[in-house]
């Protein structure tokens, strides 16, 4: 049953956790029939959450601690650290972890590219044009051999990430918006080698080393730039080269896509390489015969979270993803359908509570990434040179798990939707006829007021799942603001018809006309959270085409339910790019008067009245904290209107 995501009154009793009927139905089933708390139940038991943690004023990095800053009782930690030091040091620690995870992801893709170039893997070069473009931008030699070029690119990446901090990263200087580079150069925040930057950052945050809040903040900003180019950009580009650049397509989404008659494999995480091979081998004739012998009519692979977003625009040969289940917060509910035989987890966003749910069903959990370890769960660490045999082994395990299924425990909600997905910079240019001019003309004519990116994770912090990204997207398009989305926000919005061509009925008149004439939805799905890079690419292209700095564009960013440390790195990078950046929940900086005033939109207005400088003065971007998505849309609209005054 395809239907529009039903928006619910967050204060009704009827719906307990989610605006999505499928999730809500599964939650109520688990509540009544299965003795297994979910993420939503655990969220409730944590309320009220600790104010010291929320505000970032708890420090436990040395044995004298933990210390908490309480203005009425203790304004400093035992060592004398102020709230400003503790908050900024904690922020840098968070950003370091997030940046390291992105860079780790890029390294995994680079290793696969290198081993492929040496003929050691079953992968090949699927996007030679992009490979050549990368070489050209980085000043490397092209050759007639794709494998030689791939080797040269992978080798260059490893040399780059090992450079000292003093030598600017070529991945930043080659791909960042030109006018932005000047801003970053003046602030000395163009990063060097990513490994060195991570090492330098974590060293500075050890106890009693660096206590200057401004310096720690600039360090975090510099690292966020390193993460954006050596992490996100490199991962996206290498994956495009190996798997092909995604294409615009449509896909069935939500829990209702699960087929009770098939062997079902759910892939969950962020890294699409091994799971792409699983998709391919799920259609091997001999494995399909074995599945049939076990009583299944097919073998199906479904996406969950970002790795699903990575696969839906790609496919592998004739093998296609059977559907995208949804955001990371659906993982326990997918298992509770009783029809997921195997769940393959490849990187972050696998919750520790997942195993408890899997134990109540027959689902086999498997980690496929060396750094991902779940207590009591098997690991088959991805080895690019063995990817084909590993993928086949995983499909065999899924067939085996299927034989343990208990048909009387299967309960799959009916709800599905069919959004348009797979937008990239290339796809946007394609839709626009090869140049950004039609988009710019529509902005100048006021048909589109501006562009807002609604990106990143989802978070139960408002007590209802799937509300904020969708309400925000609906509010923005109604105000003629084109929305681009990625990450779990995109997974949530995909459950609505706002991501179909019919979605233009949500729009204001101007945006409606543009969407109707181009045949596009008003919310463009740009894939995974790593693929936020593709949105940065579009913003960079706009800045170059118009020869203006990114901070001058009528563009804004929202992370309406940010959750992990990667999001903090992304958020800071967005501000470093000069963009107005809405976040909810509040960043863990509000315990520092200096940081909250310096970073925050509302406070910065007051500081300007006192002639004090804020982050807008040095970077052009700022954070706006607002938990209500309707009010957040108004803030974004106001910001875009201001930018238009200068832009036009
Ligand atoms: S570094 Fe200072 S503030 Fe932090 S735990 Fe140690 S004594 Fe307390
Ligand atoms: S967007 Fe956030 S929550 Fe979703 S999969 Fe990516 S990191 Fe995890």
């Amino acid at each position: 049953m395809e239907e529009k995501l039903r928006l619910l009154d967050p204060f009704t009793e009827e719906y307990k956790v989610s605006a999505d009927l499928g999730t809500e139905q599964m939650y109520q089933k688990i509540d009544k029939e299965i003795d297994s708390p979910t993420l939503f139940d655990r969220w409730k038991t944590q309320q009220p959450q600790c104010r010291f943690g929320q505000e970032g004023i708890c420090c436990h990095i040395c044995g004298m601690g933990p210390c908490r800053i309480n203005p009425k009782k203790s304004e400093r930690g035992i060592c004398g650290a102020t709230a400003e030091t503790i908050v900024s040091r904690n922020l840098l620690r968070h950003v370091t972890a997030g940046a390291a995870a992105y860079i780790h992801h890029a390294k995994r893709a680079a290793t696969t590219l290198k081993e492929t170039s040496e003929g050691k893997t079953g992968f090949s070069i699927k996007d030679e044009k992009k490979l050549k473009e990368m070489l050209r931008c980085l000043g490397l030699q092209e050759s007639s051999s794709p494998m030689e070029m791939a080797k040269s690119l992978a080798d260059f990446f490893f040399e780059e990430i090992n450079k000292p901090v003093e030598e600017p990263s070529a991945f930043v200087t080659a791909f960042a918006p030109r006018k932005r580079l000047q801003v970053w150069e003046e602030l000395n925040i163009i990063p060097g080698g990513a490994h060195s930057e991570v090492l330098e950052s974590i060293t500075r945050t050890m106890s009693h080393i660096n206590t200057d809040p401004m310096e720690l903040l600039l360090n975090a900003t510099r690292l966020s730039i390193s993460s954006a180019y050596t992490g996100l950009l490199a991962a996206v580009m290498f994956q495009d080269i190996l798997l092909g650049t995604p294409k615009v397509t449509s896909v069935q989404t939500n829990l209702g896509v699960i087929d009770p008659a098939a062997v079902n494999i759910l892939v969950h995480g962020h890294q699409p390489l091994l799971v792409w091979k699983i998709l391919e081998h799920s259609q091997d004739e001999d494995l399909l015969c074995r599945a049939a012998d076990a009583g299944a009519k097919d073998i199906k692979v479904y996406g969950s979270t970002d790795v699903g977003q990575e696969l839906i625009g790609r496919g592998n040969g004739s093998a296609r993803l059977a559907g995208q289940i949804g955001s990371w917060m659906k993982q326990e509910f997918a298992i509770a359908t009783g029809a997921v035989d195997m769940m393959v987890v490849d990187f972050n966003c696998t919750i520790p509570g997942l195993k408890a749910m899997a134990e109540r069903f027959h689902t086999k959990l498997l980690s496929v990434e060396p750094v991902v370890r779940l207590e009591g769960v098997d690991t088959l660490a991805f080895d690019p040179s063995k990817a084909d045999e590993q993928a086949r082994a995983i499909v065999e395990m899924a067939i085996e798990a299927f034989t343990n299924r208990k048909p009387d425990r299967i309960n799959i909600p009916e709800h599905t939707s069919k959004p348009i997905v797979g937008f990239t910079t290339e796809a946007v240019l394609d839709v626009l006829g090869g140049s950004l001019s039609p988009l710019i003309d529509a902005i100048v004519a006021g048909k589109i007021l501006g562009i807002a990116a609604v990106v990143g994770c989802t978070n139960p912090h408002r007590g209802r799942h799937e509300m904020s990204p969708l309400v925000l997207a609906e509010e923005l398009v109604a105000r003629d603001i084109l929305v681009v989305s990625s990450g779990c926000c995109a997974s949530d919005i995909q459950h609505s018809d706002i991501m179909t061509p019919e979605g233009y009925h949500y729009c204001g008149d101007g945006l409606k006309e543009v969407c109707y004439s181009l045949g596009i939805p008003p919310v463009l799905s740009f894939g995974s959270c790593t693929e936020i890079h593709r949105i940065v690419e579009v913003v960079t292209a706009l800045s170059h085409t118009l020869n203006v700095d990114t901070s001058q564009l009528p563009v804004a960013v929202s992370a309406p339910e940010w959750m992990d440390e990667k999001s903090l790195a992304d958020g800071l990078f967005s501000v470093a790019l000069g963009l107005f950046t809405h976040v909810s929940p509040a960043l863990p900086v509000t315990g520092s008067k200096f940081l909250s005033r310096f970073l925050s939109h509302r406070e910065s207005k007051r500081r300007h009245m006192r002639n004090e400088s804020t982050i807008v003065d040095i970077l052009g971007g700022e954070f706006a904290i607002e938990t209500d998505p309707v009010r957040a849309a108004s803030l974004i609209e106001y910001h875009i209107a201001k930018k238009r005054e200068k832009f036009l």
Side-chain angles (χ1 to χ4, degrees):
M1 176 174 60
E2 275 179 32
E3 61 179 271
K4 171 179 172 336
L5 177 68
R6 193 163 137 200
L7 270 188
L8 306 165
D9 175 354
F11 301 105
T12 57
E13 280 304 304
E14 185 188 353
Y15 299 101
K16 295 192 167 82
V17 297
S18 179
D20 167 47
L21 291 172
T23 308
E24 182 63 36
Q25 192 176 317
M26 287 312 297
Y27 177 78
Q28 298 204 15
K29 176 197 159 198
I30 292 168
D31 204 25
K32 289 192 193 99
E33 299 170 21
I34 306 165
D35 179 25
S36 183
T38 65
L39 183 144
F40 295 105
D41 302 305
R42 293 186 292 269
W43 179 82
K44 283 180 200 154
T45 65
Q46 288 291 335
Q47 303 310 309
Q49 284 167 287
C50 170
R51 183 181 69 79
F52 296 97
Q54 282 175 330
E55 296 185 1
I57 41 176
C58 170
C59 182
H60 48 84
I61 64 169
C62 91
M64 292 192 287
C67 302
R68 303 191 301 186
I69 301 302
N70 181 343
K72 290 191 189 129
K73 186 169 161 247
S74 45
E75 286 192 339
R76 288 175 182 261
I78 295 167
C79 64
T82 60
E84 329 304 332
T85 293
I86 291 173
V87 168
S88 49
R89 194 166 52 194
N90 286 344
L91 180 66
L92 178 53
R93 284 203 155 204
H94 289 312
V95 171
T96 306
Y102 271 131
I103 294 158
H104 186 282
H105 179 164
K107 280 179 69 180
R108 182 71 66 232
T111 302
T112 309
L113 186 66
K114 183 165 165 65
E115 292 190 15
T116 300
S117 74
E118 293 163 350
K120 293 179 183 163
T121 80
F123 294 94
S124 60
I125 303 304
K126 285 269 189 285
D127 193 337
E128 194 177 325
K129 192 171 160 214
K130 189 157 280 185
L131 172 59
K132 286 185 175 164
E133 181 66 11
M134 284 286 285
L135 293 174
R136 190 186 61 72
C137 291
L138 291 165
L140 301 172
Q141 284 273 308
E142 281 184 34
S143 85
S144 55
S145 156
M147 291 306 186
E148 253 176 44
M149 290 191 284
K151 182 166 183 338
S152 142
L153 178 59
D155 286 343
F156 184 74
F157 172 80
F158 285 112
E159 279 165 28
E160 274 292 309
I161 59 172
N162 288 312
K163 282 195 333 195
V165 288
E166 294 78 17
E167 287 179 33
S169 162
F171 277 80
V172 177
T173 53
F175 294 103
R178 288 187 284 275
K179 289 185 188 284
R180 260 298 99 176
L181 278 173
Q182 292 163 16
V183 176
W184 296 344
E185 196 163 12
E186 276 167 29
L187 291 168
N188 189 28
I189 55 172
I190 296 182
H195 278 169
S196 314
E197 291 289 344
V198 168
L199 182 70
E200 186 98 351
S201 299
I202 203 70
T203 303
R204 284 177 194 207
T205 68
M206 207 193 81
S207 54
H208 325 130
I209 288 190
N210 191 323
T211 57
D212 179 342
M214 188 58 163
E215 219 271 339
L216 289 162
L217 176 63
L218 284 174
N219 191 153
T221 309
R222 177 176 165 129
L223 192 56
S224 78
I225 297 169
S226 179
S227 167
Y229 292 97
T230 329
L232 285 85
L233 175 142
V236 167
M237 293 296 155
F238 298 162
Q239 287 166 188
D240 281 358
I241 290 167
L242 286 166
L243 308 181
T245 299
K247 299 263 185 299
V248 176
T249 183
S250 65
V251 68
Q252 293 272 354
T253 74
N254 216 337
L255 293 162
V257 302
I258 298 172
D259 181 352
V263 170
N264 292 322
I265 304 172
L266 185 60
V267 296
H268 176 95
H270 287 80
Q271 302 190 19
L273 296 165
L274 180 58
V275 297
W276 190 73
K277 284 286 178 190
I278 295 172
L279 190 59
E280 177 185 333
H281 290 291
S282 70
Q283 296 306 298
D284 287 356
E285 278 302 323
D286 61 325
L287 294 175
L288 285 168
C289 286
R290 282 170 62 176
D293 290 345
K297 71 162 205 227
D298 201 350
I299 302 172
K300 293 194 174 177
V301 180
Y302 307 87
S304 167
T305 63
D306 284 336
V307 79
Q309 296 291 348
E310 293 273 1
L311 290 185
I312 50 184
R314 287 191 170 107
N316 185 347
S318 60
R320 288 277 173 276
L321 207 63
Q324 167 74 357
I325 300 295
S327 78
W328 79 295
M329 283 166 68
K330 276 198 161 76
Q331 53 193 285
E332 291 166 299
F333 301 100
I335 287 182
T337 62
V340 172
D341 303 300
M342 174 132 205
M343 184 157 168
V344 177
V345 301
D346 70 59
F347 206 40
N348 57 306
C349 294
T350 304
I351 56 172
L354 193 61
K355 183 157 174 285
M357 186 62 80
E359 278 168 352
R360 282 167 173 75
F361 292 86
H362 73 293
T363 309
K364 163 103 182 140
L365 292 182
L366 184 75
S367 152
V368 292
E369 159 59 49
V371 299
V372 178
R373 286 287 190 276
L374 301 173
E375 193 183 354
V377 169
D378 292 342
T379 299
L380 181 69
F382 171 46
D383 176 345
S385 68
K386 297 186 181 137
D388 286 285
E389 69 189 78
Q390 289 182 327
R392 277 183 58 86
I394 289 167
V395 178
E396 284 169 1
M397 284 182 224
I399 297 169
E400 177 68 29
F402 174 84
T403 62
N404 299 326
R405 243 199 224 175
K406 301 194 174 40
D408 58 328
R409 301 205 64 203
I410 294 177
N411 183 345
I412 303 170
E414 289 179 321
H415 316 288
T416 62
S417 55
K418 202 169 181 195
I420 305 289
V421 297
F423 281 91
T424 57
T425 316
E426 292 85 346
V428 168
L429 285 171
D430 212 29
V431 165
L432 295 173
S435 95
L436 290 173
S437 300
L439 176 63
I440 293 166
D441 292 346
I443 293 174
V444 171
K447 291 179 184 168
I448 297 177
L449 296 184
I451 302 172
V454 178
V455 294
C457 313
T458 51
N459 183 327
H461 77 108
R462 293 182 77 236
R464 290 293 186 284
H465 176 41
E466 307 211 357
M467 290 291 284
S468 296
L470 189 58
V471 172
L472 180 59
E474 287 188 2
E475 285 289 328
L476 290 169
V477 302
R479 299 165 198 228
D480 288 326
I481 295 168
L482 179 69
V483 173
V484 290
S485 185
S486 65
C488 283
C489 281
S491 284
D492 277 358
I493 300 171
Q494 282 164 7
H495 296 155
S496 157
D497 61 354
I498 201 169
M499 266 195 194
T500 68
E502 289 72 45
Y504 62 76
H505 67 80
Y506 291 92
C507 304
D509 290 342
L511 182 59
K512 186 183 288 178
E513 186 188 322
V514 175
C515 291
Y516 190 74
S517 67
L518 294 174
I520 56 167
V523 181
L524 305 181
S525 180
F526 266 72
S528 70
C529 56
T530 316
E531 290 173 291
I532 286 173
H533 165 68
R534 300 191 196 278
I535 298 175
V536 174
E537 225 176 38
V538 173
V539 171
T540 304
L542 276 172
S543 122
H544 287 168
T545 306
L546 293 163
N547 195 25
V548 297
D549 181 40
T550 41
S551 65
Q552 293 169 266
L553 296 169
V555 170
V557 174
S558 169
E561 291 193 356
W562 76 270
M563 180 272 298
D564 67 8
E565 290 168 313
K566 286 162 77 178
S567 316
L568 287 173
D570 294 337
L572 210 45
F573 173 68
S574 171
V575 170
L577 207 53
L579 303 179
F580 180 89
T581 305
H582 160 249
V583 289
S584 176
L587 300 175
V589 301
T590 49
S592 156
K593 277 192 189 135
F594 161 69
L595 275 186
S596 49
R597 285 180 182 169
F598 191 75
L599 293 174
S600 145
H601 168 67
R602 284 206 179 97
E603 291 291 343
S604 68
K605 274 179 158 174
R606 286 182 207 137
R607 289 194 73 165
H608 275 138
M609 282 157 68
R610 296 198 296 266
N611 283 332
E612 293 172 25
S613 69
T614 73
I615 198 154
V616 179
D617 303 304
I618 61 167
L619 282 169
E622 61 188 330
F623 285 109
I625 297 167
E626 175 54 68
T627 52
D628 181 318
V630 179
R631 284 204 293 265
S634 298
L635 287 173
I636 290 170
E637 184 186 23
Y638 179 76
H639 166 79
I640 283 178
K642 283 270 171 222
K643 288 291 165 188
R644 286 180 63 82
E645 282 170 16
K646 294 184 189 149
F647 173 75
L648 297 177

